[in-house]
Amino acid sequence: MTSAIEPHKARRLYLLLRDQITSGRLPPGARLPGEPALAAEHGLARVTVRRALDLLAGEGLVRRRPGSGTFVQGPEGPRPVVGDLPNLLSGLIAMGRATGVRLLSFEYVAAPAGITEALLLEPGERVQRSVRVRLIDGQPFSYLTTHVPERVGLSYSEADLAATPLLELMERSGVTADRATQAIGATLAGPEVAQALDLEVGSALIDLTRVVFDPSGRGVEHLHALYRPDRYAFQMDLLRTGDAGERRWTPAAPRPVKSETRPRPAAHRRPTP
């Protein structure tokens, strides 16, 4: 049926146009070709083109003006959160204070085998499990699943977690976050996560797993985080160090920046990854 939306083709056109916008080939204010022209150029039904444009509009990359056309959005779009890798733990509390949170679940459960191993728990030890969505400018950017040993989780309530960053709650209770291990990859959004993050099923996500330890080496938090890449990015400043022949890049303290009351420019004006 030629009038039916073809999701894969719509997403392909969306990604093509998105790349042209984020790379600057289509600058802010530029007018996109009309739906008939795009449909003819790419061999698509107009309803499929319309779906691709709707995706761009939903992301704040274009503005659709009835009777005038579709225009690349200017610099007033939503701004993303930028994670500073070298100052990981201190930045978590600051990010928590600068963003909103929606608590989806809060419960005490038996620790799954993988969590028991990662946190170095005793067999059968329980954990406090929570699922939260973080928001910037009222729009969701991360889906967070945390497991905390029950002995730590009992120090805060569901209401506390809905209002205060988890790491801050843990530190208030006397837990010291001494070090962390972290792995970053990529994955695709399943139905539950896609709905929570206002995305299409199968959308690309940044996939992060972090385990935090106290000075004694005991695990105090296991975090699995999924981020929208258009609303969250990681940043690291580097220095070139070492002697001739053994030069390498080494993490450095971030350069001073002008004071801001909001996060950095929007990801479609690409911050340093």
Side-chain angles (χ1 to χ4, degrees):
M1 182 174 178
T2 58
S3 62
I5 296 177
E6 300 173 283
H8 295 297
K9 292 183 178 180
R11 184 156 187 82
R12 190 179 306 126
L13 178 59
Y14 151 77
L15 291 171
L16 175 65
L17 294 174
R18 188 182 191 280
D19 180 66
Q20 293 176 359
I21 293 170
T22 58
S23 67
R25 282 176 285 169
L26 285 173
R31 185 180 185 278
L32 297 184
E35 289 180 11
L38 286 171
E41 179 182 354
H42 298 280
L44 302 173
R46 285 189 61 178
V47 67
T48 301
V49 171
R50 191 172 303 123
R51 177 56 177 158
L53 296 177
D54 286 343
L55 290 172
L56 292 170
E59 204 171 299
L61 295 175
V62 301
R63 178 180 298 169
R64 309 194 71 182
R65 300 175 184 170
S68 298
T70 301
F71 297 84
V72 176
Q73 183 76 292
E76 69 275 11
R79 305 181 179 205
V81 176
V82 177
D84 180 8
L85 286 176
N87 296 296
L88 172 67
L89 294 179
S90 61
L92 292 177
I93 293 178
M95 182 178 72
R97 290 171 177 161
T99 60
V101 66
R102 183 185 301 142
L103 182 61
L104 302 184
S105 70
F106 183 98
E107 59 185 340
Y108 288 89
V109 299
I115 301 298
T116 296
E117 182 180 356
L119 292 176
L120 306 177
L121 301 177
E122 296 295 329
E125 191 170 351
R126 284 162 51 91
V127 291
Q128 190 282 304
R129 178 183 184 274
S130 66
V131 179
R132 292 166 293 158
V133 172
R134 283 215 166 272
L135 307 99
I136 183 71
D137 293 335
Q139 299 182 356
F141 72 90
S142 68
Y143 185 94
L144 312 173
T145 302
T146 54
H147 291 85
V148 172
E150 184 176 37
R151 65 179 186 276
V152 177
L154 290 173
S155 65
Y156 56 84
S157 67
E158 182 173 354
D160 290 332
L161 189 58
T164 307
L166 175 56
L167 189 58
E168 183 173 345
L169 292 174
M170 291 165 54
E171 290 181 339
R172 284 182 186 176
S173 68
V175 173
T176 300
D178 183 63
R179 65 182 181 88
T181 62
Q182 180 167 275
I184 302 174
T187 190
L188 302 178
E192 183 177 349
V193 174
Q195 181 178 12
L197 294 181
D198 194 21
L199 290 168
E200 295 288 323
V201 173
S203 296
L205 297 171
I206 299 171
D207 186 315
L208 177 147
T209 299
R210 179 186 301 134
V211 184
V212 180
F213 299 90
D214 67 13
S216 72
R218 294 191 302 176
V220 293
E221 179 194 6
H222 182 283
L223 166 70
H224 181 230
L226 299 171
Y227 296 100
R228 286 186 55 145
D230 59 323
R231 295 179 183 165
Y232 190 89
F234 289 99
Q235 175 172 296
M236 176 180 286
D237 289 272
L238 302 171
L239 283 176
R240 192 71 170 151
T241 63
D243 298 328
E246 297 183 357
R247 301 283 285 172
R248 59 188 178 275
W249 290 108
T250 303
R255 290 178 300 173
V257 295
K258 292 182 179 180
S259 176
E260 295 180 311
T261 57
R262 297 167 54 87
R264 298 189 181 192
H268 52 266
R269 295 182 294 283
R270 215 60 196 168
T272 304

